[in-house]
Each structure stands twice: as structure tokens, then as C-alpha cells.
Amino acid sequence: MLRNITLYAEADYAAMSRKAAGIFAETVKENPTAAYGFATGSTPEGMYEELVRLYGLGADFTGITTFNLDEYHPIKPDDPQSYYYYMKKRVFDPLGIRKFNLPDGTAPDPSAECIAYEHKLANAGEMAMQILGIGNNGHIGFNEPSDTFACQAGYVPLAADTISANSRFFEDPGMVPRNALTMGLHAIMMAKRILLLASGEGKAQILAQALTGPITPQVPASILQLHPCVTVVADKSAASLLK
Ligand code: GLP
């Protein structure tokens, strides 16, 4: 492993979630009014549940400002499949977070929305921590494999395997939006610290490729090898191919 990457290989999903929540809560304690980057997907669900438990025990997250990585487009905020809905229900309401931001899935001009989102993010100051999951194809946010690294926030078509992977959340797989708004890699890389979560043997190969393979836009998460402070919290299965 590279020196800038700290790896915690926890026994199982529950332990991974506890570890990640502990690291996040500790960071918020040290930087209670900073900006933080949040992720969706199934991987961080346990970590969010654990944060809610810690909140019940007195941890305070109410001073932070949050920026989510991405949102489908088009999608309404009250659609249960929207990332807005996911975050509001699981994270923002239970943790009392009021200063939250997500790209607007209803924006009539999605490209302009990406530019506006990026400005908002830049004006919020340095993100103390960016939480990330990793897609089966190595995407972070919705920065899909490509010939070049996507620097800026963008309105992007989803890769076929992302549509297929995310169809498990939809009753009708045909309803998975074909496009999304995503934070770009520059904003992700500007976070002071990255907290990358991965769970299950299905992620073992791509995690190893991202963290120890060549740095290539075909595996967008491989750019994290160039970030000075990455903490990877995985369960044993996801970490099984990492030395
Ligand atoms: C989704 C999200 C990503 C997430 C990834 C992995 O499509 N846009 O932010 O990290 O895919 O999802 P999961 O954690 O469900 O495997």
C-alpha cells in the first residue's frame, strides 16, 4: 500500500460501519463547522445508522455544511429513489443537519446547475472530509470510466454497468435515470481527507485495482493514489486483495 493510504480491514460490514462512523465523528468533533462531502449507495448506510446512534449519545453534527457527491437527473426530491430523499431520511433529519446541499435533479439546465453547484462548494471553503464509496467499475460519485479524468462537476451519462448495478434499488429497472449530476474529481481531490468505504468480495478486485494498480481514468478512483490523505475502511472481503 502507498504511504498516503491508511487501510482498516474490519471483520465485517457492521465493524466497517462502526469504524468509519467513529473516524467521521472524530473529525467533526475537531472541525465542527467545516464542510463535508457525503456519498450515497448501499455501502455507507451502516455508517449513517451508526452516526445516528452516536448523535443519540451526544455527538453533535448540527454545525456542519454538507455537499453530496451526486444526484440522478431528472429526478424529483420527493422521489424515494432520489439521493435527496435518501439523505434527508437517513442522515440530515436524524442528525439535525440543516445546511445540506445536493445537485438539483430537477434543474432545467443541468450543465448550468453543475457550474452553480461547484461555485457553492468552492465558496464553502475546504472540505474537512469527503466520504466515498466505489462503483463496481471504479467510479467515484458518478465520475465514470473515461479517456480523461473529469476535472469539473458535470452532467453525465451513466455507464451501462452503473445503470445495471443501480437497478436493484428500483422496482422497475427501466426506471433507472440515464443521466446524473456529479461533483468532479477536482473538488473531491481538494478535500483535506478522503474516507473511502468498501464492503463485500464484489468490491475486492476494483478496490485493489484503484489503490494499487495504474492511475488511469479508466478506473476513476485510482486518482486517489495522488491524494495526500486517504483512509480506506473496508471489510475483510473487500480488502482481501490488498497487501
Ligand atoms: C452509486 C453512487 C456512488 C456509490 C456507488 C457504489 O452509483 N453514485 O457514489 O459510491 O454507486 O454504490 P454501492 O455502495 O451501493 O455499491
Side-chain angles (χ1 to χ4, degrees):
M1 286 290 275
L2 298 163
R3 272 183 28 215
N4 58 327
I5 300 178
T6 306
L7 170 70
Y8 295 96
E10 301 295 316
D12 54 22
Y13 180 75
M16 178 205 79
S17 302
R18 278 196 301 275
K19 183 74 190 177
I23 292 170
F24 185 79
E26 200 51 43
T27 308
V28 173
K29 207 167 162 189
E30 284 160 19
N31 310 271
T33 58
Y36 289 81
F38 275 9
T40 51
S42 53
T43 311
E45 284 175 15
M47 182 191 79
Y48 292 144
E49 278 169 27
E50 181 62 14
L51 288 180
V52 174
R53 196 184 70 80
L54 296 176
Y55 180 68
L57 296 175
D60 185 4
F61 303 101
T62 56
I64 69 174
T65 301
T66 71
F67 288 86
N68 263 75
L69 281 169
D70 47 18
E71 178 60 284
Y72 291 118
H73 191 282
I75 202 159
K76 292 195 177 124
D78 60 357
D79 185 323
Q81 305 303 340
S82 75
Y83 288 165
Y84 183 99
Y85 188 94
Y86 169 116
M87 292 301 296
K88 191 100 168 62
K89 196 165 154 225
R90 292 172 199 272
V91 186
F92 302 144
D93 286 349
L95 294 182
I97 294 172
R98 299 275 165 266
K99 291 174 280 179
F100 59 83
N101 301 276
L102 293 97
D104 179 1
T106 67
D109 181 344
S111 298
E113 167 62 12
C114 291
I115 295 169
Y117 193 67
E118 199 145 78
H119 282 155
K120 221 195 281 180
L121 188 59
N123 288 335
E126 184 186 47
M127 285 199 284
M129 180 168 269
Q130 171 69 60
I131 299 165
L132 291 178
I134 182 167
N136 296 324
N137 60 5
H139 73 214
I140 45 179
F142 273 131
N143 293 287
E144 300 282 27
S146 161
D147 291 340
T148 53
F149 283 114
C151 177
Q152 289 170 319
Y155 173 54
V156 293
L158 297 182
D161 44 8
T162 299
I163 294 170
S164 140
N166 289 7
S167 66
R168 72 190 192 278
F169 298 114
F170 291 75
E171 245 173 65
D172 172 1
M175 296 299 285
V176 186
R178 290 332 197 221
N179 294 284
L181 307 162
T182 185
M183 198 187 277
L185 294 170
H186 179 256
I188 293 172
M189 291 293 281
M190 290 301 284
K192 192 169 178 190
R193 192 171 169 194
I194 301 284
L195 182 62
L196 173 65
L197 274 64
S199 163
E201 61 179 324
K203 293 284 171 75
Q205 182 70 45
I206 194 65
L207 189 65
Q209 232 176 300
L211 301 180
T212 61
I215 299 171
T216 162
Q218 295 302 335
V219 181
S222 65
I223 201 169
L224 298 175
Q225 293 181 38
L226 299 175
H227 190 285
C229 189
V230 178
T231 302
V232 179
V233 186
D235 58 17
K236 274 213 172 100
S237 322
S240 61
L241 299 177
L242 288 168
K243 305 269 174 319

